[in-house]
Amino acid sequence: MTDTARARKLADRIRVVVAETLQRRIKDPRLGFVTITDARVTGDLQQATVFYTVHGDETEREASAAALESAKGILRSTVGRETGVRFTPTLTFVMDAIPDTARHLDDLLVKARAQDAEVRSVAVGKTFAGEADPYRKPGEHDELDDEAEDE
């Protein structure tokens, strides 16, 4: 039986340890402006996935990914020493898609605002088709209703 609370606590601790180690101990020049965004640990506490983002262009992202891959051993030993778990989980680094998704959502919101403004500008000075109040009210009878009742 897996203890998800323990896995969450370990994942949070791994995230902090990896971020601090990258900031203080890893001096790889390929390592750009890396932010550790999240960490997830499997239920058996054997594997940890560390999500990160890199501020920069594609070449800086690739260089940072290579630097993280080469520093994986140091990071894993530091995680094992700092967390005190029996078996240190293997670390897998995954580029986080959150910034790209947020950028895409921002673009969609800008597009939606532009379309709303266009519809609003077209609707200025226009009136609705039909009567002002097309709904029947209780107690009001039309001639059509009277004829329908007669039949």
Side-chain angles (χ1 to χ4, degrees), residues 24-146:
R24 295 188 179 129
R25 193 163 169 212
I26 306 298
K27 302 298 181 197
D28 194 335
R30 299 174 295 175
L31 196 61
F33 187 67
V34 175
T35 304
I36 304 299
T37 56
D38 194 16
R40 297 201 180 133
V41 178
T42 58
D44 60 358
L45 308 179
Q46 295 295 313
Q47 297 174 353
T49 304
V50 180
F51 295 93
Y52 68 96
T53 60
V54 178
H55 183 71
D57 59 356
E58 191 61 35
T59 57
E60 291 176 352
R61 289 180 186 153
E62 291 173 3
S64 295
L68 286 172
E69 202 60 36
S70 69
K72 190 183 285 190
I74 295 170
L75 292 170
R76 185 172 182 224
S77 64
T78 305
V79 165
R81 189 171 46 254
E82 294 287 324
T83 57
V85 292
R86 184 179 209 174
F87 297 108
T88 304
T90 59
L91 299 177
T92 306
F93 291 97
V94 176
M95 178 70 79
D96 202 348
I98 288 177
D100 295 331
T101 305
R103 192 174 312 110
H104 178 67
L105 284 175
D106 286 340
D107 293 343
L108 289 176
L109 287 172
V110 166
K111 185 178 177 182
R113 282 188 197 109
Q115 288 177 346
D116 286 348
E118 181 182 332
V119 168
R120 201 173 302 115
S121 68
V122 168
V124 170
K126 305 292 182 183
T127 59
F128 291 105
E131 301 174 17
D133 188 10
Y135 300 104
R136 293 183 185 178
K137 306 230 178 344
E140 293 181 1
H141 291 289
D142 288 355
E143 295 171 2
L144 296 175
D145 287 341
D146 293 336

Side-chain angles (χ1 to χ4, degrees), residues 4-24:
T4 58
R6 183 172 182 205
R8 277 195 307 265
K9 287 178 187 177
L10 181 61
D12 288 342
R13 185 67 184 139
I14 287 173
R15 183 179 54 83
V16 169
V17 168
V18 168
E20 289 176 352
T21 305
L22 286 175
Q23 182 180 9
R24 295 188 179 129

